[in-house]
Amino acid sequence: MNRRALFYSFLVISVSVFAYFAFSKVSDTIVTEILINSSKENVYAFLSNLENIPKISLPAKSVFITKDVVDDENVRHVNVIIVENLKFVGNLNLTSYFIFDEENYTIRSYSHILNGFLEITNLWKITNEGNKVKFKEIYQVASPKILISFVKREAKELHQHMVRYSSSLGDEKPQFPGSRSEYTYKLQFLMPDQYEGIPVYRVMTRKGEVLDSADDPNLDKETTQKMYKDMTLLNTMDRILYESQRQGRISFYMTNYGEEGTHIGSAAALDPKDLVFGQYREAGVLMHRGYTLDEFMNQCLGNVDDANKARQMPVHYGSDKLRFVTISSPLATQIPQAAGAAYAFKRAQNNLVVMCYFGEGAASEGDAHSAFNFAATLNCPVIFFCRNNGYAISTPTSDQYRGDGIAARGPGYGIPTLRVDGNDVWAVYNAVREARNLAISQNRPCLIEAMTYRIGHHSTSDDSQAYRSVDEVHFWHSEDHPIQRLRWYMERKNWWNDETEKEWMQSSRKQVLEALSRAEKKKKPSPSQMFTDVYAEVPPHLKKQFEEVKKHIGNYSKEYPLDKFEKF
Amino acid sequence: MNLFESITSALDCALKRDPSACVFGEDVGFGGVFRCTVGLQEKYGADRVFNTPLSEQGIAGFAIGLAVAGATPIAEMQFADYIFPAFDQIVNEAAKFRYRSGNLFDCGKLTIRAPCGAVGHGALYHSQSPEAYFAHTPGLKVVIPRGPFNAKGLLTACINDPNPCIFFEPKILYRSAIEEVPVGDYSLPLSQAEVLVEGSDITLVGWGTQVHVLREVVKLAQEKLKVNCELIDLRTILPWDEETIAKSVAKTGRLLIAHEAPLTGGFGAEIAASIQVSLITRAYY
């Protein structure tokens, strides 16, 4: 084989290098890797003399040369990566070369992937038909146009590039403030579809089988059963409160159906003292922390024992004792607040994190952007936990964003990021546990995007059949449900069976109904509570307004249902 | 001291007094565009006096979070004209935090400072006086000082107050107003107007820069019209001191309010309406 006949083309992807490598494992598929310390002359010589490569007795067609980083001593390292199979996991490089073996008419390229993967995305069979070169895809193609543009380039251009490349190895590097990249001489936009989506980390299959036992957090029977009971009790409470709204017993409700795994998996991985800022669909987190059914019911009923003194709609829970900041209706406002609270934690050196939940819809708000940027630049130990459940009321993700979900934004802010299967309670647990370690040990934020599905309507004011099909919902309910998955896991361990399920479902239903009944018997708070807590003390003007209201109601007491309220 | 120096002095005292206090905002680290934070980062460290990214809603939200976690945030909005991206955080979050949680949580330690008002060359977007927007929000305190001595005392009161406070600093006074200001820690009461000149014919009420305008009016009215004016600096816009003004108007029988903000829906309207009611109902005398 005439090595000189090798045509080189090159791939220049001017991507920002994302500092965080979610994965440090090196794939088994790497055959070997040579690292050379090199001057620019050596690199040039190396590139010009690829005949060296067969000395390690591998086919040239599978050789990649990639430019790597400059180390602390200002020595430039060049990685030569020889790939037999199709994946390499490891260092991320700025500029990468691409080799074309004309004799075998095959060509391989690869692209950068956000989380540290280098993956071959294209393998092409090339044939000559007349004067035209035909391309046949053998392996998955991320962006054929980009690849074709490579192949059309000739050795002449490679040579030009090598000259430029070797000169760029010299003294000139971009000196712009905040820049950490290299110069490129290639005018090429970074296209969003140039790399694959960020993968979804999971531990269990949809049938509850743990794929790699090393990933099983191996929580004991009691802990696992508590998690399962929390998930199912939440589900039962949702059904009863949803129905009670339909019967006019409470004014409003929001169910958590389908997202139980994200709630309980994340809550279990936190320290109970970690401060939680929620959005509104995280009742399971509170439940796991020990919020009682009576407390849930009192809030939803807005009775005299509601901690919020009946000032907010149902599901706006909060507990200072359980370190769960009271929910507010405005969307995404809690996200920058979580960053600020985390900053206070960092200064207090209390080894705690702040956990912040929000949906993929809320992530479109300006507050979310500010929060990510503040947390990253001010080094705040906060976990941003996005519940991507597919819908923001009726708005599907396709109307919400055009990029690779919420996780893809993390590296742009300089935030370590992980996408996780939200219906896999162990994957969520592992993800949050690792995020917590990272946030505390490095004093920096983490972003977790938990992929899940909102099986219920947005709220009792919504009918989701107007914008999605019953079949779609049915799929998630029957094929990919976090509760069922954990149940299968437990059944495999003989920790749960039909009988325990039946007993638990009966007793939990009874507990919820009893709590609801107790809460319904209580009166509403005194109307005087309208004027307290506006300020730490009631100021004179509010005292005056209160007296006016009191006088008015005294004069027109028959017009008001005063028997339902505590006295003034 | 001039006014920006008295602000620096108040911040210095707060940082000394309270180790959880943090001062931050856009360009705060190097001393601020109005020099209100000069020397504080060197003195207290970059973890307590620091720059934030350019996002007013981020600054407000971040500050609320600090307060909820028990720290004392003193946030700066670079201009009152640019506070509006933070409106939601201030009005829907800070103001309602205690109320909506039934007093389980609050952000009362929050203070937001912002330079306000006209200087002359600031034109449309560096001159506004947005106090009335915030005065319509129960749960907030809104304060505007007229000079260096009041600025330090009232800012200290805001920082120590258990409610979220917005402190507007008339930026024309940063350098023009010079007064004797104690170097040590002191505070002045919030929600108390101050009678600056006693008179019998008419009550003049203003705050911030307008107090200085009204001082000239007092002189002019005396000289040219032989009218004896009583001058009151409102100082705190919310909750405002209705009693002091009502008592004064009960005496003089006339009231004139001057503010820099737009007339329609301005805070002057609130004062005028309330004082008429209080005089009719004889609420204070």
Side-chain angles (χ1 to χ4, degrees):
Chain A
M1 185 161 117
N2 180 6
R3 297 290 164 195
R4 299 281 178 200
L6 284 174
F7 284 109
Y8 314 126
S9 190
F10 60 89
L11 164 59
V12 179
I13 304 175
S14 308
V15 286
S16 303
V17 176
F18 300 103
Y20 172 56
F21 300 96
F23 300 86
S24 54
K25 281 186 206 167
V26 172
S27 163
D28 296 331
T29 58
I30 294 176
V31 177
T32 183
E33 177 180 336
I34 306 166
L35 190 70
I36 55 170
N37 287 347
S38 180
S39 66
K40 72 174 182 184
E41 290 75 17
N42 285 343
V43 172
Y44 189 85
F46 190 81
L47 291 172
S48 311
N49 188 20
L50 281 167
E51 281 171 306
N52 289 337
I53 285 168
K55 285 182 187 168
I56 51 172
S57 62
L58 279 163
K61 66 180 180 181
S62 56
V63 171
F64 286 77
I65 302 166
T66 66
K67 184 157 73 79
D68 204 354
V69 291
V70 178
D71 68 17
D72 293 344
E73 290 167 10
N74 217 24
V75 177
R76 185 172 296 274
H77 296 262
V78 172
N79 276 353
V80 178
I81 300 154
I82 293 134
V83 186
E84 182 86 276
N85 292 316
L86 295 173
K87 265 190 180 174
F88 165 71
V89 185
N91 292 334
L92 201 58
N93 305 283
L94 257 183
T95 308
S96 307
Y97 290 85
F98 166 85
I99 294 180
F100 170 38
D101 180 344
E102 194 195 40
E103 203 163 290
N104 291 326
Y105 296 110
T106 56
I107 190 162
R108 291 182 185 204
S109 79
Y110 57 88
S111 65
H112 293 284
I113 294 188
L114 288 179
N115 55 22
F117 277 92
L118 264 182
E119 186 173 4
I120 302 172
T121 53
N122 307 289
L123 178 61
W124 293 69
K125 186 80 176 173
I126 301 166
T127 53
N128 274 310
E129 289 181 19
N131 290 329
K132 287 186 178 173
V133 181
K134 294 268 180 184
F135 300 89
K136 188 184 172 197
E137 179 188 341
I138 298 173
Y139 185 58
Q140 184 190 356
V141 180
S143 179
K145 280 183 187 168
I146 292 165
L147 192 68
I148 289 164
S149 73
F150 287 140
V151 180
K152 283 180 179 170
R153 294 175 199 283
E154 310 231 341
K156 183 178 72 178
E157 197 179 338
L158 176 66
H159 177 71
Q160 284 172 351
H161 177 76
M162 284 164 62
V163 172
R164 286 165 170 173
Y165 171 61
S166 51
S167 70
S168 79
L169 286 177
D171 27 12
E172 287 194 21
K173 282 198 72 168
Q175 296 298 315
F176 311 108
S179 164
R180 60 176 181 187
S181 54
E182 302 278 345
Y183 284 119
T184 177
Y185 295 89
K186 178 97 145 209
L187 196 162
Q188 185 171 12
F189 286 89
L190 176 61
M191 301 306 287
D193 59 355
Q194 210 162 313
Y195 37 77
E196 297 295 314
I198 295 171
V200 182
Y201 167 70
R202 71 173 183 175
V203 172
M204 287 188 282
T205 64
R206 288 184 182 145
K207 297 291 176 201
E209 299 153 316
V210 173
L211 294 169
D212 181 348
S213 60
D215 293 332
D216 187 339
N218 283 315
L219 300 188
D220 61 33
K221 180 180 167 185
E222 196 182 322
T223 309
T224 308
Q225 282 183 343
K226 174 181 162 40
M227 291 172 73
Y228 181 77
K229 284 183 170 180
D230 287 338
M231 288 164 78
T232 44
L233 181 60
L234 175 64
N235 196 267
T236 302
M237 181 179 84
D238 276 352
R239 286 175 204 288
I240 290 170
L241 285 179
Y242 184 86
E243 284 310 315
S244 77
Q245 192 279 339
R246 287 293 183 247
Q247 294 159 7
R249 294 157 76 181
I250 61 174
S251 61
F252 174 84
Y253 194 66
M254 301 177 104
T255 62
N256 302 276
Y257 302 144
E259 299 185 48
E260 296 88 348
T262 63
H263 297 190
I264 307 302
S266 61
L270 293 173
D271 184 302
K273 293 196 195 70
D274 290 337
L275 188 64
V276 175
F277 283 80
Q279 181 164 298
Y280 47 67
R281 206 186 304 281
E282 294 90 7
V285 176
L286 259 176
M287 189 167 268
H288 187 75
R289 285 190 165 196
Y291 206 60
T292 64
L293 288 171
D294 286 310
E295 287 172 302
F296 280 112
M297 301 299 153
N298 290 337
Q299 200 285 321
C300 288
L301 266 297
N303 65 27
V304 69
D305 289 329
D306 169 15
N308 297 345
K309 305 179 188 174
R311 289 164 184 158
Q312 293 211 74
M313 289 170 79
V315 312
H316 290 60
Y317 312 113
S319 170
D320 54 347
K321 192 178 71 203
L322 300 176
R323 311 272 289 169
F324 189 103
V325 178
T326 302
I327 300 300
S328 76
S329 302
L331 215 51
T333 48
Q334 78 279 16
I335 315 178
Q337 292 168 10
Y343 191 86
F345 278 20
K346 180 182 72 169
R347 289 205 62 235
Q349 297 184 341
N350 60 11
N351 282 323
L352 295 174
V353 297
V354 174
M355 180 65 157
C356 181
Y357 295 93
F358 55 97
E360 88 286 350
S364 293
E365 295 278 359
D367 273 335
H369 157 71
S370 295
F372 299 156
N373 201 25
F374 273 58
T377 54
L378 296 166
N379 307 313
C380 305
V382 55
I383 302 172
F384 294 120
F385 189 99
C386 177
R387 299 178 292 95
N388 188 338
N389 65 11
Y391 290 90
I393 305 188
S394 75
T395 306
T397 53
S398 56
D399 289 346
Q400 195 67 250
Y401 53 73
R402 192 57 80 243
D404 177 28
I406 310 307
R409 299 174 196 174
Y413 290 104
I415 297 179
T417 301
L418 182 71
R419 176 173 283 150
V420 64
D421 181 347
N423 297 341
D424 177 341
V425 72
W426 298 137
V428 174
Y429 176 87
N430 287 347
V432 173
R433 194 184 51 190
E434 280 308 301
R436 198 176 179 281
N437 290 341
L438 211 152
I440 290 178
S441 63
Q442 298 187 18
N443 268 330
R444 64 191 303 195
C446 283
L447 172 63
I448 294 173
E449 183 182 22
M451 308 307 290
T452 182
Y453 189 82
R454 193 195 78 208
I455 291 175
H457 305 300
H458 165 70
S459 73
T460 47
S461 308
D462 174 47
D463 176 7
S464 67
Q465 286 187 35
Y467 51 83
R468 62 181 184 180
S469 72
V470 175
D471 288 348
E472 178 186 313
V473 178
H474 182 72
F475 166 81
W476 293 95
H477 186 76
S478 59
E479 302 294 324
D480 194 358
H481 201 290
I483 292 178
Q484 184 59 51
R485 232 197 261 196
L486 183 58
R487 187 170 165 193
W488 272 320
Y489 173 90
M490 291 166 72
E491 284 179 357
R492 280 204 178 80
K493 298 207 171 205
N494 288 323
W495 289 353
W496 202 259
N497 56 40
D498 287 348
E499 200 167 321
T500 43
E501 175 80 5
K502 199 176 157 192
E503 278 171 31
W504 165 243
M505 292 313 283
Q506 279 173 355
S507 93
S508 58
R509 188 176 158 77
K510 188 160 166 271
Q511 288 174 42
V512 175
L513 287 170
E514 284 172 358
L516 177 60
S517 165
R518 278 194 295 276
E520 281 183 316
K521 291 195 180 89
K522 295 174 188 169
K523 287 194 168 184
K524 307 283 181 203
S526 163
S528 63
Q529 299 286 9
M530 278 173 64
F531 295 90
T532 59
D533 304 328
V534 180
Y535 295 91
E537 306 287 337
V538 183
H541 70 288
L542 291 186
K543 276 186 191 148
K544 207 164 92 179
Q545 290 173 26
F546 168 59
E547 291 303 330
E548 283 172 20
V549 169
K550 199 174 168 183
K551 194 173 150 196
H552 167 84
I553 290 179
N555 289 344
Y556 301 96
S557 57
K558 283 180 187 163
E559 306 297 326
Y560 294 94
L562 293 177
D563 56 322
K564 290 183 179 163
F565 292 81
E566 295 276 291
K567 283 193 175 143
F568 262 96
Chain B
M1 271 184 216
N2 64 25
L3 198 143
F4 82 72
E5 289 163 340
S6 80
I7 297 288
T8 313
S9 178
L11 297 174
D12 191 354
C13 290
L15 287 161
K16 196 182 295 172
R17 188 171 65 233
D18 178 355
S20 80
C22 292
V23 173
F24 53 89
E26 297 162 14
D27 302 304
V28 158
F30 91 113
V33 294
F34 290 108
R35 315 311 292 146
C36 291
T37 52
V38 169
L40 297 177
Q41 190 176 68
E42 291 78 1
K43 197 165 173 184
Y44 295 99
D47 72 320
R48 298 190 64 195
V49 180
F50 53 88
N51 289 339
T52 65
L54 272 60
S55 167
E56 286 75 14
Q57 68 196 100
I59 292 169
F62 184 85
I64 292 168
L66 270 166
V68 170
T72 302
I74 307 165
E76 177 178 306
M77 301 285 162
Q78 200 163 74
F79 287 88
D81 307 67
Y82 306 136
I83 202 169
F84 300 110
F87 202 67
D88 185 39
Q89 282 288 352
I90 294 170
V91 170
N92 264 335
E93 295 291 316
K96 297 174 175 64
F97 224 101
R98 186 191 301 276
Y99 188 76
R100 74 181 184 213
S101 68
N103 205 22
L104 292 185
F105 297 94
D106 70 81
C107 61
K109 292 185 169 184
L110 169 68
T111 302
I112 293 174
R113 299 174 38 244
C116 72
V119 170
H121 52 261
L124 189 58
Y125 288 118
H126 294 79
S127 303
Q128 295 177 68
S129 297
E131 67 270 14
Y133 294 106
F134 298 98
H136 196 56
T137 305
L140 295 180
K141 293 198 173 180
V142 182
V143 177
I144 306 181
R146 68 170 184 275
F149 175 79
N150 268 270
K152 181 171 175 183
L154 293 172
L155 178 56
T156 302
C158 285
I159 293 166
N160 292 340
D161 193 84
N163 299 290
C165 297
I166 304 182
F167 191 77
F168 288 117
E169 299 161 6
K171 56 184 169 290
I172 194 170
L173 304 178
Y174 274 141
R175 288 164 193 275
S176 64
I178 296 173
E179 290 173 354
E180 290 291 321
V181 178
V183 177
D185 212 344
Y186 68 93
S187 75
L188 295 170
L190 300 180
S191 294
Q192 277 190 24
E194 187 179 0
V195 180
L196 301 180
V197 178
E198 291 198 20
S200 54
D201 298 333
I202 182 170
T203 302
L204 310 183
V205 173
W207 50 90
T209 314
Q210 284 301 303
V211 174
H212 302 279
V213 175
L214 290 174
R215 272 190 196 278
E216 292 180 31
V217 171
V218 170
K219 268 192 211 162
L220 274 174
Q222 187 65 50
E223 286 165 18
K224 307 240 165 155
L225 306 172
K226 303 286 178 231
V227 169
N228 186 232
C229 301
E230 178 145 309
L231 172 60
I232 298 177
D233 176 5
L234 190 63
R235 301 202 288 189
T236 298
I237 311 303
L238 185 74
W240 64 288
D241 182 0
E242 191 178 321
E243 185 173 353
T244 297
I245 295 168
K247 282 181 172 166
S248 170
V249 180
K251 178 176 75 177
T252 62
R254 297 178 187 86
L255 172 62
L256 183 150
I257 306 145
H259 56 64
E260 248 186 65
L263 181 65
T264 305
F267 197 69
E270 160 70 13
I271 296 174
S274 299
I275 293 301
Q276 288 177 71
V277 172
S278 67
L279 290 182
I280 292 166
T281 59
R282 294 173 176 268
Y284 295 105
Y285 59 96

